[in-house]
Amino acid sequence: MADFSQLREAVLTGNAPAAVAAARQALDAGVDPVELVNQAISPAMEEVGRLYEAGEYFVPELLLAARATKEVFQLIRPLLAQKDIPPAARVVLGTVQGDLHDIGKNLVGAMLEGGGFEVIDLGVNVPPEKFILAVEEKQAQIVGLSALLTTTMPAMKKTLDVFRTAGIRGRIKVMIGGAPITQSYADSIGADAYGENAAAAVAIARKLAGR
Ligand code: B1M
């Protein structure tokens, strides 16, 4: 396995130029971008979250780490898109209304792209109607909802309720995820699937797409 210690360290310390340089070096050495996300970026950001919860990191450190990750994504996104695989399905992805957390959602999006899905990322604080417009416009088969706050979990239920009212629920599969989400919550609101992490999200999306 490749040595990702420099890249992990650069993300942890929020050093965007060093993170991009380490990522570029790994890619030039032939490392698969999906492996890079899985083995370096994802664990590094999970560690950043843990350090914040432990009171060792504060908001500025979080934002710097998030920026470093974002810049690495800018580098690897075109490479993920270049992979010679027909799209497994179209996924409309977003963080639900009221919630501004996007690091985990971005990881999920990058991993889905790496797994051959076409991802339409609507960003954060996405109202149900915006998901519906994107589903209609892009003829998407899967919708991915992310939430990081217990206070925005009900927005997932609301989003599903609006899908039902709008008559699109039968046409799409809905996967939900985020730190406070559980399988039982997904069952309780009638989502089709729960993804525990970005790697699991890809496997689940494949199942939902019938692959
Ligand atoms: Co906020 N925040 N935050 N925050 N923040 C949490 C979530 C919190 C647990 C921290 C804490 O207090 N311990 C807490 C929520 C408590 C609760 O709800 N019970 C919290 C709070 C309270 C808040 C604010 C209210 C703080 C305030 O202003 N007083 C505020 C809310 C803003 C808002 O959304 N309206 C806020 C703000 C912020 C920042 C802006 C500073 C920043 C976000 C920056 C950004 O996202 N661009 C931030 C961060 C970074 C965190 C923590 C520290 C880290 C989250 C993260 O990025 N984790 C977080 C504590 C924590 O989780 N340890 C916290 C790393 C990421 C890789 O993991 O997002 O879980 P995660 O994603 C995983 C899985 O969950 C899963 O896969 C991902 C990759 O493996 N997954 C999916 C995620 N979405 C998925 C979708 C899927 C499938 C899997 O399918 C579609």
Side-chain angles (χ1 to χ4, degrees):
M1 197 177 84
D3 176 13
F4 291 119
S5 53
Q6 278 185 337
L7 176 53
R8 269 201 288 259
E9 185 61 21
V11 171
L12 275 173
T13 54
N15 186 338
V20 170
R24 186 166 283 133
Q25 203 180 353
L27 295 167
D28 288 348
V31 169
D32 185 312
V34 175
E35 192 192 338
L36 190 139
V37 173
N38 237 347
Q39 305 290 335
I41 303 292
S42 201
M45 286 315 298
E46 276 159 20
E47 177 66 1
V48 168
R50 197 196 61 73
L51 288 167
Y52 179 76
E53 291 206 313
E56 290 178 46
Y57 269 21
F58 298 93
V59 172
E61 284 94 340
L62 289 181
L63 295 178
L64 285 173
R67 196 185 64 184
T69 303
K70 214 168 191 169
E71 292 199 16
V72 172
F73 277 139
Q74 275 169 11
L75 182 71
I76 59 178
R77 212 166 235 127
L79 300 174
L80 292 170
Q82 265 172 29
K83 289 184 132 220
D84 196 16
I85 314 164
R90 274 193 203 106
V91 184
V92 170
L93 181 67
T95 303
V96 294
Q97 193 160 33
D99 201 318
L100 303 176
H101 295 83
D102 68 356
I103 298 167
K105 185 262 299 165
N106 292 345
L107 285 174
V108 169
M111 289 296 289
L112 286 171
E113 281 177 1
F117 290 85
E118 183 180 334
V119 176
I120 299 106
D121 187 345
L122 302 180
V124 297
N125 191 22
V126 182
E129 298 73 19
K130 198 169 167 188
F131 282 109
I132 293 172
L133 279 176
V135 165
E136 300 283 16
E137 195 187 321
K138 303 286 181 181
Q139 293 297 302
Q141 295 86 3
I142 300 174
V143 174
L145 306 177
S146 180
L148 261 286
L149 298 170
T150 46
T151 50
T152 55
M153 287 167 66
M156 289 184 153
K157 180 180 179 320
K158 184 185 163 198
T159 304
L160 280 162
D161 288 344
V162 177
F163 287 174
R164 284 184 199 102
T165 312
I168 67 156
R169 182 64 186 96
R171 279 195 271 136
I172 49 168
K173 299 286 183 190
V174 179
M175 166 167 62
I176 67 171
I181 309 302
T182 59
Q183 181 65 57
S184 68
Y185 180 70
D187 294 341
S188 76
I189 65 168
D192 295 296
Y194 157 66
E196 191 180 355
N197 54 47
V202 178
I204 290 162
R206 284 208 178 105
K207 264 195 200 154
L208 294 177
R211 303 246 161 177

